[in-house]
Amino acid sequence: MATLPWDCVVHGVPASVQSKSSTRARWKTAVAAAATSRWPAGETPLAVPVQVTITYFFEGDALDVDNMLKPIQDALIGIVLEDDKYVTDVRGSKRDLANAFVVKGMSPALAEGFISDEPFVHVKIDIAPDH
């Protein structure tokens, strides 16, 4: 099994679950490409309970958090997740890039997002909490 936590960054503005199908398809392709670039080569997708944390770092107006989650999760299927039935916990948030941030234990992927000088989404997968 891949080492967890695992994360990646997707550059750009996420597509809403309510957006046109062509817009969602383009966004899901971008998410899949970012995930593929960070997922260990030859590693099979996870088939264990996981927690997904998605944070949208935006400029200006931001879409609703709940509307961006499903397209991102769907794009991870077959790459990072065997199936979204293994997602037991989801945390979604948005943060305005105009604010100052203190980040402890910043991953290389998250650092890539901050230095990109554009909106981005940080996706993090970890073992689900023990319920």
Side-chain angles (χ1 to χ4, degrees), residues 83-105:
D83 191 283
D84 60 357
K85 72 181 181 182
Y86 293 106
V87 177
T88 63
D89 296 79
V90 178
R91 295 176 58 196
S93 57
K94 58 185 178 182
R95 302 289 182 261
D96 191 336
L97 283 169
N99 295 328
F101 295 94
V102 175
V103 182
K104 295 180 180 181

Side-chain angles (χ1 to χ4, degrees), residues 33-88:
T36 299
S37 74
R38 290 274 183 185
W39 191 246
E43 189 69 43
T44 59
L46 297 168
V48 297
V50 296
Q51 173 176 283
V52 178
T53 304
I54 299 171
T55 307
Y56 173 33
F57 293 90
F58 68 94
E59 297 175 319
D61 294 329
L63 66 140
D64 293 343
V65 170
D66 59 331
N67 290 334
M68 73 172 180
L69 301 176
K70 186 65 174 154
I72 294 170
Q73 283 181 213
D74 288 347
L76 298 175
I77 295 170
I79 301 166
V80 178
L81 304 171
E82 181 179 291
D83 191 283
D84 60 357
K85 72 181 181 182
Y86 293 106
V87 177
T88 63

